[in-house]
Amino acid sequence: MKAGSVALNETLVDTFKVLGRVLKEYAPKPEIQKVGTVSYIGAGVARVTGLSGVKSEELLRFVGEKLGMAFNLDQKEIGVILLDESEGLSAGSDVQRTGRLMDAPVGDGLLGRVVDAQGHPLDNLGSLGVTRRQSVEMPAPGIMDRAPVTVPLQTGLKVVDALIPIGRGQRELILGDRQTGKTAIALDTIINQKDKDVICIYCGIGKRGSAVAKVIADLKAHGAMAYCIVMVTTEEDPPGLVFMAPYAATTMGEYFMEQGRDVLIVYDDLTRHARAYRELSLLLRRPPGREAFPGDVFYIHSRLLERSTHLGNELGGGSLTALPVIETEAQNMAAYIPTNLISITDGQIYLSPELFQKGNLPAVDVGKSVSRVGGKTQLRAYRAVAGDLRLSYSQFEELEAFSRFGTRLDDDTRKTLERGRRVREVFKQPQYAPLSVSEQIAALVAVNRGVFDEIDVKEMAEAERRIGKTVKEELSNVCDRIERGEELAEEDIQTLFTAAQLAVSGLKKQEKQHANDRRLEEKDREHPGPPVSREDHEGPGSGEHPPV
């Protein structure tokens, strides 16, 4: 016992000696903490006085650990956009500087998660498991740091991949009136990236909560969440959080791009983003311009989308592909925000409400859609089978509109119209059903070579399904060459043509029988037989013979 007590006393003495030495060596350095005062609280904004030295876009801490971002730096006050709800804040409360700019978490731990613009998890799956954060406002890569766009980004949609191709590192705008399928095209593109080593980020900007919940459910149902990050801001969130969401999402994508990986990011949609910026600017008394938007609304989108690019090999060769979505009003593509984004991006996919109402889904208006970069990245097989398809399809639409006037058409024009209608049926595609490149090429070869000419339009979907199944099962070597981007030889196209004919031969026989039946019915209507008398129905015992 005595030995143990002695040892314990010695340990305590040594401990107190160390603590005493540390206390003597410790020299506290007092720091000056600048504290400002809230002079005004509005809907999503605040004005602060008495706080000097604040940087642009610096985070400020309010009472209750609520954050805001310095937006206006005036001589006498600071305009702040709130990133949290304003409940509990009032004029006269204290504001402190944090010394850091707005940032967002980055890392592999974000994959499969749902977060807000500040990086807070919203899916009840615990912490994100990432420790690194990067500023949401990063300068775009310089000209010499970029490389040409050379690799295609397959959407799985025939009308897009064949006529409006997109490349990795491109910025392709999706625009159209509300409820025309803009988000559906973006989601189909995300779902088609499965097993293609492309990380996808869906950024919902000011969306309805129910709409975002449906998007998340659809991504989970198709196994896409494993390679996706979903950033959510709803219409109930403060406008400051809505405004910062796309910048935070881009920062998350840039992290993977700098690692040499390919990233796809969807901004859904930038119309709401511009409206949130307009609301904040008007509340903070920035001078309005056209449509009450501030004069720098072009700059907020250009500095965002310029961060999407394909990096050179010396920087890892990663890419960031952007699909911004905007909403038009009454098909007005010449409005302020649409024209801004059309001039910033590398092309646009325009969705027509008329095509949507007719059931031509996806409702892509080929004549008003363009891709200024993706054509150089398109696989060679598409160029072989769809080179002139865009022009011929536009001519068919003009011819069809002219034929509605009741003009008598010759046989060649009638055949052209029938071929064009089948091309339109081939471009129809249900949602969440992306097709591989080989299936798309087989369908395009079939429609170009007239395989579908003798098939009823109503049977087109079944015929296309049979062709895709036959090609995948029996022509695997041709499919592999198509997927590798090799050029199709004439014998390969002939092989696909022959396989397509065999696949739909049963449907052709049925269609011929139906055509014969229709022809007989038309002949009967044109040349009716003699009228049948009442006595003909009295049976054989009537004693009367039918007239000869």
Side-chain angles (χ1 to χ4, degrees), residues 6-21:
V6 172
L8 179 60
N9 289 334
E10 291 178 353
T11 302
L12 291 174
V13 170
D14 294 339
T15 302
F16 284 119
K17 286 182 180 179
V18 172
L19 289 174
R21 186 169 63 253

Side-chain angles (χ1 to χ4, degrees), residues 34-36 48-61 68-74 77-80 95-101:
K34 296 182 180 179
V35 179
V48 176
T49 59
L51 199 60
S52 61
V54 176
K55 301 176 183 178
S56 178
E57 298 180 355
E58 181 180 347
L59 290 178
L60 305 178
R61 181 173 287 108
M69 189 181 73
F71 201 55
N72 284 0
L73 299 180
D74 300 327
E77 64 179 11
I78 301 169
V80 181
V95 184
Q96 296 180 354
R97 292 182 57 186
T98 62
R100 64 186 182 95
L101 303 179

Side-chain angles (χ1 to χ4, degrees), residues 172-190:
E172 185 78 4
L173 179 65
I174 303 175
L175 77 161
D177 286 7
R178 63 186 307 270
Q179 300 296 325
T180 52
K182 302 183 293 296
T183 303
I185 287 184
L187 290 182
D188 280 339
T189 305
I190 290 175

Side-chain angles (χ1 to χ4, degrees), residues 26-32:
Y26 174 69
K29 297 179 180 180
E31 295 181 356
I32 299 175

Side-chain angles (χ1 to χ4, degrees), residues 57 137 247 277 294-306 336 340 344:
E57 298 180 355
E137 289 282 5
Y247 301 101
Y277 183 64
D296 61 342
V297 69
F298 181 93
Y299 173 63
I300 70 167
H301 287 152
S302 64
R303 78 171 189 252
L304 170 69
L305 294 172
E306 279 298 320
Y336 190 25
N340 280 354
I344 293 170

Side-chain angles (χ1 to χ4, degrees), residues 25-326:
E25 294 175 354
Y26 174 69
K29 297 179 180 180
E31 295 181 356
I32 299 175
Q33 179 67 51
K34 296 182 180 179
V35 179
T37 305
V38 176
S39 61
Y40 168 81
I41 288 288
V45 298
R47 288 199 285 271
V48 176
T49 59
L51 199 60
S52 61
V54 176
K55 301 176 183 178
S56 178
E57 298 180 355
E58 181 180 347
L59 290 178
L60 305 178
R61 181 173 287 108
F62 292 81
V63 175
E65 297 299 314
K66 295 183 178 182
L67 294 177
M69 189 181 73
F71 201 55
N72 284 0
L73 299 180
D74 300 327
Q75 287 185 347
K76 296 183 179 180
E77 64 179 11
I78 301 169
V80 181
I81 59 175
L82 299 177
L83 303 178
D84 293 300
E85 296 294 340
S86 59
E87 283 80 2
L89 301 180
S90 60
S93 57
D94 293 341
V95 184
Q96 296 180 354
R97 292 182 57 186
T98 62
R100 64 186 182 95
L101 303 179
M102 176 79 178
D103 54 18
V106 295
D108 292 338
L110 290 167
L111 295 176
R113 303 300 300 271
V114 181
V115 297
D116 66 5
Q118 298 186 68
H120 300 149
L122 303 176
D123 49 12
N124 298 322
L125 296 179
S127 62
L128 298 175
V130 296
T131 57
R132 183 175 174 181
R133 299 182 73 92
Q134 289 182 185
S135 174
V136 299
E137 289 282 5
M138 300 290 289
I143 296 296
M144 302 307 296
D145 295 333
R146 300 172 183 247
V149 177
T150 56
V151 181
L153 182 86
Q154 299 297 139
T155 65
L157 302 173
K158 288 167 289 188
V159 65
V160 176
D161 291 339
L163 305 183
I164 320 158
I166 302 173
R168 296 187 182 183
Q170 185 177 345
R171 301 157 298 175
E172 185 78 4
L173 179 65
I174 303 175
L175 77 161
D177 286 7
R178 63 186 307 270
Q179 300 296 325
T180 52
K182 302 183 293 296
T183 303
I185 287 184
L187 290 182
D188 280 339
T189 305
I190 290 175
I191 292 171
N192 193 54
Q193 305 313 309
K194 190 174 184 179
D195 300 327
K196 291 183 172 61
D197 196 26
V198 176
I199 293 172
C200 301
I201 302 175
Y202 176 84
C203 179
I205 306 171
K207 304 283 285 184
R208 295 193 312 274
S210 58
V212 176
K214 184 179 183 303
V215 168
I216 296 172
D218 291 340
L219 292 176
K220 289 181 178 178
H222 293 87
M225 281 301 292
Y227 54 88
C228 274
I229 303 171
V230 177
M231 177 171 288
V232 177
T233 55
T234 64
E235 53 192 3
E236 291 85 11
D237 289 326
L241 204 62
V242 175
F243 171 68
M244 295 307 301
Y247 301 101
T250 306
T251 293
M252 295 176 182
E254 281 178 330
Y255 168 81
F256 295 105
M257 178 180 68
E258 292 166 358
Q259 308 297 319
R261 306 182 67 176
D262 295 314
V263 184
L264 168 67
I265 183 166
V266 176
Y267 304 108
D268 190 14
D269 64 60
L270 290 185
T271 306
R272 298 173 187 267
H273 180 250
R275 290 171 183 165
Y277 183 64
R278 177 173 62 183
E279 178 182 353
L280 294 169
S281 299
L282 293 176
L283 287 171
L284 292 174
R285 300 177 182 175
R286 288 191 175 185
R290 179 180 171 185
E291 296 182 18
F293 287 104
D296 61 342
V297 69
F298 181 93
Y299 173 63
I300 70 167
H301 287 152
S302 64
R303 78 171 189 252
L304 170 69
L305 294 172
E306 279 298 320
R307 295 163 69 178
S308 300
T309 185
H310 178 211
L311 294 178
N313 292 329
E314 62 275 6
L315 296 178
S319 69
L320 181 61
T321 308
L323 294 182
V325 178
I326 61 169

